[in-house]
Every structure is written in C-alpha cells, then in structure tokens.
Amino acid sequence: MNANRQAMPIAQSANGAVRDHLAPVFAQYPLDIVHAEGVWLITRDGRRILDLYGGHAVAALGYGHPGWTRALTAQAESCNFQSNAVPMEVRTRAAARLVRFAGPGFDTVFFVNSGAEANENALKMAFAMTKRTHVAAVEHGFHGRTAAAGALTWGAMQKWYGFPRAPFDVSFIPRRDSPAIAQHVTEKTVAVIVEPVQGVGGAFDMGAEFLEALRRRCTDVGAQLIFDEVQCGVGRTGYPFAADMYGVTPDMITTAKALGNGFPCAALLMSPQVAAAVKLDALGTTFGGGPMACAAIEAVIEAIESEGLLDRVQRVAAYIRETCIVGPVIGHQGAGFLTGLRTARPAKEVHAALLNRNILAGTSSDPNVLRLLPPYVLEKQHVDLLRDALGGIKP
Ligand code: PLP
C-alpha cells in the first residue's frame, strides 16, 4: 500500500466519532444491521426488526435463502466472470427462463446492471426504430437518475437532474387520465414510459383502463410502449409482471431490483418487433449478463415458481388490506407487495413509530403513503405484528 495513503488520518467529526468516507447523499436510518434471516434484520445491539421494505424492493426471497445462496456459491466456484463476448450456458439459461416467466409477447433479453440502465437502453431501442424526438412519461413516475431516465422522472428537473438539458422533448401525462393521452402521445412521440404500479410515487396503480388506452394510442401513432417494472416486476404484484396482472402487453419491459435478490442485475425484455431492430454493437455492457448475475436470476425465478410465491404474495397482500386499516391507516392502494397504506398523519411519523416497535416500512413521495415492499416469503403471522403495532399508534 502507498505510504501516504497509510498515513492518512481517519476523519473524525466534532464529537470525536469516526466519520466514514461515503458521499453523504443518503439520509441514514438509525440502524446498524449485522445479520439477516428470512424477513428479519438483526442489529448489533440484538434487536430483531421485521423488514417490510426489503432494501427498496430488492430482497424478494428475503435473507439467507438457501437456493439462491447455493446457486451463487456454485457459480463462484465454477466461473465467476466472462464477458458477453464469450457464450455461457448460465446466461443462455437465465435469458430463456426470464422470457418464459414473462410469458407471450417477449422473446429477447438484454441484461444490464441497474434499473436506470435498463430504461436508457429501452429508450435507445425506441429511438433506433424511428426518427422522432419526443417521449411521454407519467406524472409522479420515477425511472432513475441517469440523463434519459432522469429526464422522464417527475420533479427531477426541479430537484436533482444536474444536466443542463434533457436529451429529448418530454411531456408528462396525468396519472389515470385517459382523455389526456391523445394530447401527449402524437405522431412525434417515440415512446411512452410508465410504471404500471408506481413505486416511489406512492404505490399507485395505474389501472387497466389507463394502460389499455396507452396501448391503443401507442399502436395508433406508432410509438413504443415501455413498462418500467423495475420496482413492480418479477412477482411483486403476485403476477410475473404487472403487465400480466393488467392483461396489457407493452413493446418492452424493464426490470431490476427483485430480479437478483441483491445481486446487482437488470434486464430489458423486448417484443420480437423490437428485437428485430437490434443491431450488432448497438448496445453494450461489461457486467450486464455476467455469470453470477445470471445464476442469481435463475435462482430467483426458480424459487418464485417452485415455492408458490406468486400465490403467497396475492394471499398475504389481501390479508394486509383486510387487517391493517387500523390506527393511523385509513386506506390502501397499489398491488401485491407494492402496497401503500394511506395514513391520516404524515407517513414519516408512522414510519418512525413503527421503527420504534421494531418494524421497518418505507415512505414515498406521497407524504401520506407508507410503502410496504416486503420479501415474498412474508407470512400472515408477520402481518399480525404489523396490525398490532399500527393499532398502538395514535391515529
Ligand atoms: N425505475 C423504477 C420504477 C424505480 O423504482 C427505480 C429505482 O428506484 C429505477 C427505475 C432506477 O433503478 P436503479 O436505481 O437500479 O437505477
């Protein structure tokens, strides 16, 4: 190690506590997690916290899932990495498994690393198919922090976008406003991107009628329909994808988060028509589709299918809706394990009160929605703990 580097003092804050070197961009929960198992997080001081947030919707199988752990260990022992230039059976198998899981309408996968990257590539494909310059998104949607995805994220320009201008013309359709679609989606529109169930926007489901109207309009004007299922996909709604739940087939689906259960990975699913426009060297990635990521993807889909987790998500989510409208909670929205509990008090206060009672939930950009994104292995007995905790919080 370089001598200068060794001599560098560890930064200390005014009160003498050791400060770390991470960019200070995330507000920190008052938690120090040292272990996790199933749906439980265990802190350094021995608290057991019920995790209803799953690390922003990522920990779909919960913690320490044996099949997922075995698959990653076996892949690490056999071959931890080769690039996309080298054919690998595990990559071919993961793509086939994901296409089969997604159902009719998609036959091609491009693996990448993050949700934003999947969206950038979906947009790139849409632009490759036409000479147009306009993209429509939906109010309150979130699509990531890169140049194109951020330009389509509601409120980003005012808050954190950071680039001098958007790379294309953008307009936002009000949520569930079918009559407004025609004015936003025209012969100039390359693509429409929509989360069928918004995550950051407050577990807000778009409803079949709005999504069907988007599908019709995109077909009429020749625009690509992109479902951003980075948060609501891979079983979270109790269906493989929210597209299946609504019975609406987009031209592309982007997905990430639950797909790897914590191993970073994402995917762009394409219809045969979109896939026909893919050209050699048009897209690229170093890590996307790496063998470890592909082993994780296979293990996640295998667990969802073999353990009946889609049924479990539907059943336990229904139980949440039936039993948890208590204390400060006055209603529910969203779908499956992307459920929003509408609160009479600010959701932040309910979040803090739950954490004091050893339950970790999430908030959203809607100040009165508590967002639940639990692992799919959650059981009714865990929901009873949530109900009892909510019942003890002032309405
Ligand atoms: N799209 C949606 C719907 C998301 O919720 C997110 C992240 O929260 C993203 C895209 C961006 O994903 P990533 O953070 O992996 O780039």
Side-chain angles (χ1 to χ4, degrees), residues 114-116 119 142-144 195 200 228 230-231 257:
S114 69
N119 286 335
F142 185 94
H143 301 293
E195 293 167 84
V200 176
D228 177 342
V230 167
Q231 190 161 150
K257 295 194 186 277

Side-chain angles (χ1 to χ4, degrees), residues 29 52 324 326-331 340-363 366-372 386-387 389-395:
Y29 288 144
L52 302 181
C324 291
V326 289
V329 177
I330 53 173
L341 296 180
R342 189 152 279 287
T343 54
R345 289 166 60 182
K348 250 179 157 174
E349 292 175 13
V350 181
H351 179 272
L354 282 174
L355 199 50
N356 280 337
R357 291 162 171 79
N358 291 333
I359 295 180
L360 177 62
T363 53
D366 184 327
N368 285 87
V369 171
L370 194 72
R371 190 165 37 133
L372 305 182
L386 173 65
R387 177 204 57 207
L390 286 168
I393 298 171
K394 209 163 59 95

Side-chain angles (χ1 to χ4, degrees), residues 37-387:
E37 53 198 29
V39 293
W40 296 98
L41 307 174
I42 291 106
T43 63
R44 191 173 301 279
D45 55 3
R47 281 168 74 194
R48 283 173 67 81
I49 314 260
L50 177 63
D51 185 8
L52 302 181
Y53 194 52
H56 292 307
V58 168
L61 306 183
Y63 304 98
H65 186 278
W68 181 83
T69 308
R70 257 196 320 272
L72 279 170
T73 308
Q75 190 60 50
E77 284 170 356
S78 69
C79 176
N80 56 304
F81 191 74
Q82 274 300 299
S83 80
N84 286 282
V86 177
M88 292 199 80
E89 204 184 308
V90 66
R91 186 182 298 123
T92 310
R93 279 203 316 264
R97 190 93 200 231
L98 183 57
V99 162
R100 204 170 70 218
F101 185 64
F106 306 93
D107 70 353
T108 301
V109 179
F110 180 56
F111 286 125
V112 286
N113 306 287
S114 69
E117 197 186 348
N119 286 335
E120 295 274 328
N121 281 286
L123 291 160
K124 218 181 199 190
M125 282 312 304
F127 276 97
M129 296 170 77
T130 160
K131 296 264 174 284
R132 303 172 183 184
T133 55
H134 166 261
V135 182
V138 175
E139 290 182 0
H140 303 282
F142 185 94
H143 301 293
R145 290 179 177 267
T146 49
L152 296 163
T153 290
W154 179 249
M157 286 290 172
Q158 294 74 33
K159 291 189 200 137
W160 49 255
Y161 185 63
F163 299 104
R165 67 188 72 84
F168 37 71
D169 304 328
V170 176
S171 61
F172 291 94
I173 311 166
R175 300 192 291 199
R176 287 188 168 217
D177 189 347
S178 303
I181 291 173
Q183 136 203 4
H184 290 276
V185 184
T186 68
E187 274 75 15
K188 293 195 174 119
T189 305
V190 177
V192 177
I193 186 164
V194 56
E195 293 167 84
V197 186
Q198 285 183 343
V200 176
F204 186 96
D205 60 293
M206 288 300 146
E209 198 245 298
F210 181 67
L211 295 172
E212 281 161 9
L214 281 178
R215 176 66 282 177
R216 275 196 304 276
R217 183 67 178 169
C218 283
T219 304
D220 287 351
V221 300
Q224 301 299 307
L225 181 60
I226 303 167
F227 276 7
D228 177 342
E229 300 217 24
V230 167
Q231 190 161 150
C232 68
V234 198
R236 185 153 296 281
T237 59
Y239 294 80
F241 287 93
D244 303 298
M245 178 175 76
Y246 289 117
V248 177
T249 308
D251 302 292
M252 288 177 259
I253 292 178
T254 56
T255 196
K257 295 194 186 277
L259 185 64
N261 190 44
F263 198 94
C265 58
L268 163 59
L269 282 151
M270 297 177 236
S271 71
Q273 289 83 348
V274 176
V278 177
K279 299 220 166 59
L280 197 64
D281 284 340
L283 311 176
T285 168
T286 296
F287 293 120
M292 299 291 286
C294 289
I297 292 168
E298 258 196 304
V300 166
I301 299 175
E302 167 62 25
I304 291 174
E305 291 183 339
S306 67
E307 295 170 27
L309 295 182
L310 297 179
D311 283 350
R312 163 114 53 121
V313 168
Q314 289 188 26
R315 193 163 28 84
V316 178
Y319 190 64
I320 295 175
R321 294 194 295 270
E322 277 159 31
T323 59
C324 291
I325 316 300
V326 289
V329 177
I330 53 173
H332 61 78
Q333 60 195 51
F337 279 180
L338 175 41
T339 282
L341 296 180
R342 189 152 279 287
T343 54
R345 289 166 60 182
K348 250 179 157 174
E349 292 175 13
V350 181
H351 179 272
L354 282 174
L355 199 50
N356 280 337
R357 291 162 171 79
N358 291 333
I359 295 180
L360 177 62
T363 53
S364 72
S365 64
D366 184 327
N368 285 87
V369 171
L370 194 72
R371 190 165 37 133
L372 305 182
L373 300 157
Y376 305 168
V377 292
L378 193 82
E379 313 246 19
K380 285 186 175 178
Q381 78 216 40
H382 304 124
V383 177
D384 291 340
L385 298 175
L386 173 65
R387 177 204 57 207

